[in-house]
Amino acid sequence: MRLLKVATCNLNQWAMEFECNMKNIKASISQAKAAGAVIRLGPELEVTGYGCEDHFLELDTVTHAWECLKELLLGDWTDGILCSIGMPVIRGAERYNCQVLCLNRRIIMIRPKLWLANDGNYRELRWFTAWKQRGELDEFHLPIDVSEALSQTSVPFGYGYIQFIDTAVAVEVCEELFSPVPPHAELALNGVEVFMNASGSHHQLRKLNIRLNAFMGATNARGGVYMYSNQQGCDGGRLYYDGCACIVVNGHVVAQGSQFSLKDVEVIISQVDLDAVASLRGSVSSFQEQASCKVKVSSVYVPYKLTQSFNLKMTLSSPKKIMYHSPQEEIAFGPACWLWDYLRRSGASGFLLPLSGGADSSSVAAIVGCMCQLVVKEIANGDEQVKTDAKRIGNYADGQFPTDSKEFAKRIFYTVFMGSENSSKETKMRAKQLADEIGAWHLDVCIDGVVSAVLSLFQTVTGKRPRYKVDGGSNAENLGLQNIQARMRMVLAFMLASLLPWVHSKSGFYLVLGSSNVDEGLRGYLTKYDCSSADINPIGSISKQDLRLFLRWAATNLGYQSLADIEAAPPTAELEPIRSDYTQLDEVDMGMTYEELSVYGRMRKIFRCGPVSMFKNLCYKWGTKLSPAEVAEKVKYFFKYYSINRHKMTVLTPSYHAESYSPEDNRFDLRQFLYNSKWPYQFKKIDEIVDGLNGDSVAFPEEEEEATSSQEFGVVAANSGDPSAGL
């Protein structure tokens, strides 16, 4: 037997915060060595943090990374353990995303990334060059100060692997695993038995199984030990890196770290038998045949032994059941951990949330409540860093710390119900009840006086006073009155966030939380610069349907029972007067259901459909319920309002990224914001197709999906006073 103990980790790194990052790197190495591991794998770009973005273009960033690596190598951190350290490296005129492999205070080789992530949230080609030389390893001359300190002038640089006395080890960096021809296939044929995947992978709902299937597939037929390391937390942007460091042996997961956690460092250890890898490969005839005619990959020989022979005192790691969170749990824990990182690193003293009593703001409140519960739980488990941060943020006296989530919420969480003459008693009551269940410090504010003052000013300037449509006003008047209410709430929210700490003799400031969901952003069903405009938004990339599932789950699992009633209530903006024969409803205002919006969003973004392609696809999807002409009207109606309101995405509050069809304009969904909303060419093509289908017998397959709600195709035409159209 060749027994090998390996360690991988989740690290909560912070872009450009080198001291924080080094502290975590050192802690992970110490824990790995204490457990007896001889290989330690860290995340991609762990020294700098993955999310440095254009800071990677600064020479200082690369220089500081070398300074940190030098510090590690001058100490005893790499004594007796192979460490893979992620950092940027400049070679000649090119900048590379690299893994630096170190052992016994020496750099063994530098492995640049071959295939860069350059879609969705990733823009690596903006900062790095992909390594394209697949032949011999090059010689890289170390920076002068590093060379002098280490008494080492150069190291091998490029694509290759390390050949030890008893095994071969190689790196595969994040995106390379998901490329059409991943390096591990070729490396396995060259005898590599241990693969180290350093990653910077973000959370997205229902995505984890894709990642884990890739790890298992990499070694299922080829054999091997596949190690995966990831960042975990908010490193300064919209993404939450969701950890889940793991170790896979011959297609079986033998160790798995947490996906969501408040810990800064989590190390995963496994004891594996490399003879099991050799045995599997020897039993697969096709592997043997392909290995006999392989393309040779360059290697670096290191006369050092990593494994131990048979020893009953060492227990082998066994396959374990993979842990997957439900989507509801992902919505609870992911944004909660992201909020905690943002709160503790921003210097803020807490959060302020305009709480309307509706589904969206209540979801945000529940997520903050979940965060408070996680903090108290982690403190009880002995996490000193969480305890220190919580004491500082909550302004606890010496010797005191949070032991109750409601008491902690009272210190750091303000909720404000900003009601008007159009608000119902039910939403006011629900907001108060939920705030009490969470423990938030709750305010009940009437904004009618502020709105009336603005309208009086308008009347003084213009000589006219607008009226709601139900009272005989025009569409323009109706829209203006709704927008004034919404915008006054934003102004009041920021005022309270900055001054309430002063009122209560506290230091610091509060972060304002937004609560618009991904579907409203896609449709533009929000007032520009209303309460959707905040400091950060934990649900801005989550669909209404998923939020309603989350509310039902949270009512039971988080203990906030009022959420059940909130979820059951029909969504309404409450910006128009309530009459015996009229109540404002979101889906009526929008002219489409939230379920339809999710379909439009996925087709527009995930399946890259323009108006014509979306129409054709929906003719099949909805053909059993709607005629082609009806499908055409729905598609044209969506694209009309999507394009009218696209400009709102340019000022969208920074939101936690969770959904693959997010319309977030900053980096994920890059499109213009000035459209011809009539789409004359595209809509004409749709009309031509519909005309060609008239009179033809069209057969549509039966839908295989779950039955849709009874409202899906029965929505009333949009109210012309839709507040989403306002600028």
Side-chain angles (χ1 to χ4, degrees), residues 420-447:
S420 72
E421 60 184 359
N422 302 320
S423 303
S424 67
K425 294 180 181 178
E426 290 77 13
T427 53
K428 178 179 178 179
M429 177 190 68
R430 292 180 195 127
K432 176 67 166 63
Q433 186 177 353
L434 177 59
D436 289 343
E437 290 173 344
I438 294 170
W441 202 91
H442 187 68
L443 280 174
D444 184 355
V445 178
C446 179
I447 66 170

Side-chain angles (χ1 to χ4, degrees), residues 498-508:
S498 62
L499 292 178
L500 277 178
W502 166 71
V503 170
H504 293 113
S505 300
K506 295 181 180 179
S507 60

Side-chain angles (χ1 to χ4, degrees), residues 560-572:
Y560 308 142
Q561 298 178 0
S562 62
L563 293 176
D565 291 334
I566 291 170
E567 187 278 328
T572 172

Side-chain angles (χ1 to χ4, degrees), residues 622-636:
W622 291 344
T624 59
K625 300 178 181 180
L626 297 174
S627 69
E630 290 172 318
V631 173
E633 288 306 309
K634 283 183 173 289
V635 170
K636 289 190 283 187

Side-chain angles (χ1 to χ4, degrees), residues 32 152 399 569:
Q152 181 179 4

